[in-house]
Each structure stands twice: as C-alpha cells, then as structure tokens.
Amino acid sequence: MEARVHSLGDNRGLHTVFLNPRPPNPIKSVGVTPALRLKPFSGRNHQLKLRFRTVSAVLASDSSSRSESSGSYTVDRQRPETVGSEAVSSVKPVYVPTPPNRDLRTPHSGYHFDGSTRKFFEGWYFKVAIPQRRQSFCFMYSVENPAFYKKLGALEIAQHGLRFTGVGAQILGADDKYICQYSDESHNFWGSKDELTLGNTFLAKKAMQPPSNEVPPQEFSRRVVEGFQVTPFWHQGFIRDDGSTDYAQTVKTARWEYSTRPIYGWGDVGAKQKATAGWLAAFPVFEPHWQICMASGLSTGWIEWDGERYEFENAPSYSEKNWGAAFPRRWFWCNVFDGANGDVSLTAAGGLRQLPGLSETYENAALVGVHYRGIFYEFVPWNGVVNWEIAPWGYWHLSAENETHVVEIEATTKDEGTTLRAPTTETGLAPACKDTCYGDLKLQLWERTSDGSKGKLILEATSNLAAVEVGGGPWFNTWKGKTAAPEILARALRTPVDVDKIFGAVPFFKPPGL
C-alpha cells in the first residue's frame, strides 16, 4: 500500500483540499464541463467571467447519461442552458428522506439537548468544496441554552445565572467572504435526538407554520423564507446577513441546495463506526465533546453566493459537531481530504478543556485520524501518544503513535486567516477563532516496528490547500503539548463497550443524541 507523493498545483484546489497519494483514475476524477473549461491560475482571487452570470459547474468525467443513481440520492443531469452563445451545464440534486439505520452513521449523530437548564450548546459544521474554482463553503450552525427560548430576563438571570440564548448560522464562503444570521430566540430550532437532522426558521412565510422536523425541499421552500435544514444526505437554506460583522467582508444573502453521498464516517468502511472521543462521550463528563460525522463525502447541487451561482457534482464534503457546556479554553484543528476518489481523509485537533469539579482544572486532549483506502488509522490518548507544537498563527506540527503505526503532520500558512464566531460562556456567539483554507500541509504515515521506530512508509501526501484553525486563548506564544491517558483510563477506553446495546436494554436511560 505504498503511495506516491502527489502535490496539487494552483489549478486544482478546495477549502480542505485534495490529498492525492496516487494519480487519480481518469474515469472517476472530477472534471469541468466543456462549456466552462477553467484555465490554470495562480491568483487566489481569480474570477471567471461569464455573460449574465458566473457559474462553476463541476461534473464527473463520465457525463453521457441523463441520470445516475448515487447511493442515497439521484442526480438528474439537465440539458445545458444557453447564456448568449455559451452553454452552461446544470445538475439537479434529488432529495431522499433520511432512512433509519443508515450505513456509516456515527455515534452521537443526534441532538444532545436533554431538556435541562444546565449550560449547554451544540454546534455543527458542514463543508462542501469546489476544487476547480479553488473555493469552498463552510456552513456553521449553533444553538445556545435551548432550555430558554428567548433572552433571559432579570429574574431568570438571578435564578440560573448569566446565559446566552439563540441560534446562529454562519457561512465562510467563496473568496473568504462571510455571512452570519443570528437570533437570540430558539423556539423555531429543531433537531432529532436520533439522527443528524436539524433546522431552524429565522423567518416563516405569512400564515405558515415553521417546520419542526425534516420535510421535503418543496415543503421547506413553501413554508420558510429565511432558514435552513440539513440531514446526512440533504442540505438547503437561505439566510440574510444581519449586519453585525465589521471585521470581515460580507455578502448580503446566500442560498443553497445540495445532496451528499457519504464515503467515510469515523471508522473502517463496512465496520461499526466509532465515537470520536470514545465510549465515555456518552456521558457529560469530559466536555465539550466532539464527533466527526462524515470524514469524507461527495456532494451535488448548487450554491448562490454574492451574485454568483456555483453548480457542482461529486464535490468533496465533510461534517462534524461539538456539544457540551462550553468550547475548550483554546484549541487547534487541521482537516484535509481527497474528494476525487475518496482515498484519503485527515482530521487532527487538540484542545485545553476544563475538567469537571469546583476548581478550574484543565487538561490537554488531542487526536489524529486518517482514513486511507477504506482503513481508519486512529491516534488517540488511550491507544498511544499525541505530541504537538502550534504557533499562535501560521504553524501546526503534530506527531503521534499507537501500537502499530506512526503519523506526522506539518502545516504552515502565510494567509492572514478569517475570524469566525463560536459559542462562548462569556459573550455568547462571538469572534473566537481564526481559519484559513490555504495551508501547506504534509502528511506521512508509517508502520511501526517492534522497537517503536518508523518502518514501512504507507502514505506520504502533500497539499497547498489545507484547512487549519486556532481558537480560544490567550495565545501569547507557541503551544507545545503532549497527551496520553493514564493507564487505568486507557484500559477502560480500549475496552470494547457497545453503548448502543447497553442503552438498548434500558432505553429510558439512553441519553439523547447517541
């Protein structure tokens, strides 16, 4: 399984990147519709000019058939429309309701709110990238303290303490432009406790009741003016910037509709998927919790952004979520995947999180996860050691080992980054982290020999379009850290515990979201 290094040029790119350990299959690789051939370009802010509108259409090379079954959805290939003398190919995703017991469902896909008044947030991150345009769209949703449907009054603050409420929808989109719509009311937010389905209505159509669960796209459009709904296979919405952002270039509106076919969850393909933080994540102990819901997928549809309509087919996509009392004190994150053939996906992250108790005690936590050719390589504190060196901005280095493998990651960037919001206990949804989609990253994975040294090289890949992030703080200097679980805890977490089976016997005690 040795892999050759394949670096990407500036004419292929995306937010969280293609990592190509081998040349892509010429039949399966993503291409551009002939009507919109893109020339190689080196400028980050390159604009493709078309009469009437600008459309990026990313299609599979084999585009002869009019329709194609794609696992959980069907893609209808429409006849090209004509704009002047130029034909613009278009695709239309077809919605399929979320089935029960779907393949690749990870633990903790559902909404974790238990109805109590304890401090609580849940946040979701969905990303789709359009490689030929060197653009990506990162959708971020959050709900804070949903036990309170609106801003707390003085009496409630006296009883429960300061709490921030509401629902936020953010998008970091093409050309690093940004949009945010926020409401301090959450009565129109809904989420399934069993599945990765959620939505919110900021503004309903007159005399229409906002949805309270997943509905067909036509029904959503009939009832919702401003809002969103998302499932493992479907994502649509329309939001309007609320004018609260003075630190980034914003767009006025965004509209989108696309379907997704998952490739990787969090685990080996064909096996039971894993909880990212282990089986203890079923309990509100080591918060906040984190779950990668889809390490890699392929999405088809369209996004309207800043006067342009981006159309795509089989574009690489990703999703994850967090939940708990609050975000870590500070954290870092790297994410890269290969969307052309689904071979490689990397997610690495770490944080300084508060331990339960009356005193303010914190611990380091970190992990590295690599999916490669259907196999999941997991590096977590309970099966090995994770080391990191992270600068306040511009440099990320991680090394990790478990009993069988060794991994190293190095990423740098000269990009200034874009500030994003995150739920905070101090000020609610506020600027708290910095991201860029233009990092230079190198990933190496080896077998580990009996003496602990590096053995056979399994994977070596590079990218100049990695997504990297730092958050929280303060970040006064480089953060060097190491994490390995105490042996008694490591043994407990390595013990195979089927949490679903346990709670299946006593469903009354099953926590929501699991």
Side-chain angles (χ1 to χ4, degrees):
M1 287 181 66
E2 288 188 65
R4 288 182 286 178
V5 179
H6 182 71
S7 300
L8 295 176
D10 283 342
N11 62 320
R12 295 187 63 186
L14 61 153
H15 166 101
T16 36
V17 202
F18 281 91
L19 265 178
N20 283 323
R22 60 182 180 180
N25 185 312
I27 297 177
K28 297 296 184 181
S29 62
V30 175
V32 184
T33 175
L36 286 176
R37 286 194 179 92
L38 303 183
K39 296 180 180 179
F41 61 88
S42 59
R44 171 176 166 183
N45 295 317
H46 173 85
Q47 296 290 330
L48 178 64
K49 301 296 184 182
L50 288 181
R51 290 196 294 270
F52 180 65
R53 67 177 183 175
T54 303
V55 179
S56 174
V58 182
L59 301 176
S61 297
D62 180 11
S63 58
S64 58
S65 65
R66 293 289 306 282
S67 66
E68 171 186 308
S69 176
S70 300
S72 300
Y73 64 88
T74 299
V75 175
D76 280 351
R77 294 195 175 120
Q78 307 295 308
R79 292 185 181 277
E81 62 176 288
T82 301
V83 181
S85 60
E86 298 174 279
V88 179
S89 181
S90 116
V91 294
K92 180 182 178 182
V94 176
Y95 165 80
V96 173
T98 305
N101 304 315
R102 63 180 174 89
D103 293 337
L104 296 178
R105 180 193 181 277
T106 65
H108 301 289
S109 290
Y111 180 37
H112 289 78
F113 177 53
D114 61 8
S116 71
T117 59
R118 77 180 186 98
K119 288 184 178 180
F120 179 83
F121 83 94
E122 194 149 351
W124 298 262
Y125 178 97
F126 301 88
K127 178 177 59 185
V128 63
I130 305 173
Q132 277 69 17
R133 291 294 303 274
R134 195 178 170 85
Q135 302 288 14
S136 63
F137 294 86
C138 309
F139 300 80
M140 294 153 279
Y141 306 126
S142 59
V143 60
E144 299 172 84
N145 295 304
F148 308 96
Y149 287 147
K150 59 183 180 180
K151 191 175 181 179
L152 274 67
L155 183 60
E156 290 173 308
I157 293 176
Q159 181 180 359
H160 301 286
L162 182 63
R163 305 289 176 86
F164 293 91
T165 63
V167 177
Q170 307 174 71
I171 306 173
L172 179 63
D175 300 319
D176 272 353
K177 294 180 182 179
Y178 176 77
I179 188 172
C180 178
Q181 185 164 4
Y182 167 80
S183 170
D184 59 15
E185 299 184 357
S186 61
H187 57 276
N188 287 334
F189 176 87
W190 61 268
S192 166
K193 65 182 180 63
D194 300 313
E195 187 51 279
L196 185 64
T197 59
L198 61 135
N200 184 70
T201 300
F202 290 110
L203 178 64
K205 289 192 175 179
K206 189 175 181 180
M208 287 289 179
Q209 185 71 22
S212 58
N213 50 30
E214 177 184 351
V215 296
Q218 298 82 357
E219 180 69 10
F220 179 88
S221 299
R222 189 175 72 88
R223 295 162 64 177
V224 178
V225 178
E226 298 171 10
F228 61 87
Q229 73 166 351
V230 58
T231 80
F233 307 118
W234 185 258
H235 192 186
Q236 73 180 118
F238 174 86
I239 62 172
R240 188 180 305 276
D241 189 71
D242 60 17
S244 62
T245 304
D246 60 3
Y247 57 82
Q249 189 175 3
T250 60
V251 301
K252 293 181 179 179
T253 62
R255 187 187 302 273
W256 62 96
E257 190 172 287
Y258 65 86
S259 54
T260 296
R261 175 166 59 92
I263 302 297
Y264 290 133
W266 193 248
D268 293 341
V269 172
K272 185 177 177 64
Q273 300 302 289
K274 296 185 175 185
T276 303
W279 61 264
L280 275 178
F283 308 98
V285 180
F286 300 104
E287 292 186 337
H289 293 302
W290 179 44
Q291 179 68 48
I292 285 78
C293 301
M294 184 183 71
S296 182
L298 299 174
S299 294
T300 294
W302 53 267
I303 299 169
E304 293 178 357
W305 179 263
D306 197 27
E308 300 185 37
R309 183 180 175 98
Y310 296 82
E311 297 181 352
F312 48 89
E313 181 177 347
N314 289 335
S317 52
Y318 171 89
S319 65
E320 66 173 48
K321 63 186 299 188
N322 301 85
W323 70 97
F327 260 60
R329 173 64 64 89
R330 59 179 172 174
W331 69 91
F332 61 86
W333 176 80
C334 304
N335 178 232
V336 179
F337 55 76
D338 169 11
N341 50 27
D343 267 353
V344 180
S345 172
L346 161 71
T347 302
L352 182 66
R353 65 184 181 186
Q354 187 173 3
L355 294 175
L358 298 177
S359 62
E360 289 200 5
T361 304
Y362 294 84
E363 71 162 1
N364 286 329
L367 63 80
V368 177
V370 179
H371 289 83
Y372 178 50
R373 294 183 177 176
I375 299 173
F376 179 49
Y377 301 88
E378 183 182 35
F379 303 86
V380 287
W382 55 90
N383 74 4
V385 180
V386 183
N387 297 273
W388 65 87
E389 181 180 348
I390 313 296
W393 183 249
Y395 180 76
W396 295 254
H397 181 269
L398 292 94
S399 62
E401 59 183 55
N402 57 28
E403 293 182 352
T404 56
H405 293 87
V406 179
V407 67
E408 285 191 12
I409 304 160
E410 184 176 69
T412 60
T413 186
K414 295 181 180 178
D415 191 85
E416 294 181 357
T418 299
T419 300
L420 303 178
R421 290 176 168 93
T424 67
T425 56
E426 297 82 7
T427 55
L429 188 65
C433 55
K434 184 160 67 171
D435 288 56
T436 183
C437 308
Y438 299 95
D440 296 303
L441 185 144
K442 182 177 182 180
L443 165 65
Q444 294 174 294
L445 178 67
W446 297 268
E447 292 180 351
R448 185 183 180 188
T449 64
S450 57
D451 63 3
S453 61
K454 298 172 183 175
K456 180 181 178 181
L457 180 66
I458 298 174
L459 169 66
E460 181 174 12
T462 62
S463 171
N464 65 352
L465 293 164
V468 288
E469 176 184 80
V470 296
W475 285 81
F476 296 125
N477 45 43
T478 297
W479 180 16
K480 295 182 180 181
K482 177 180 179 179
T483 183
E487 183 57 28
I488 186 171
L489 179 60
R491 286 182 180 181
L493 287 167
R494 286 197 299 265
T495 302
V497 176
D498 192 334
V499 178
D500 283 334
K501 187 175 181 180
I502 293 172
F503 285 114
V506 284
F508 179 79
F509 294 101
K510 182 179 179 179
L514 185 59

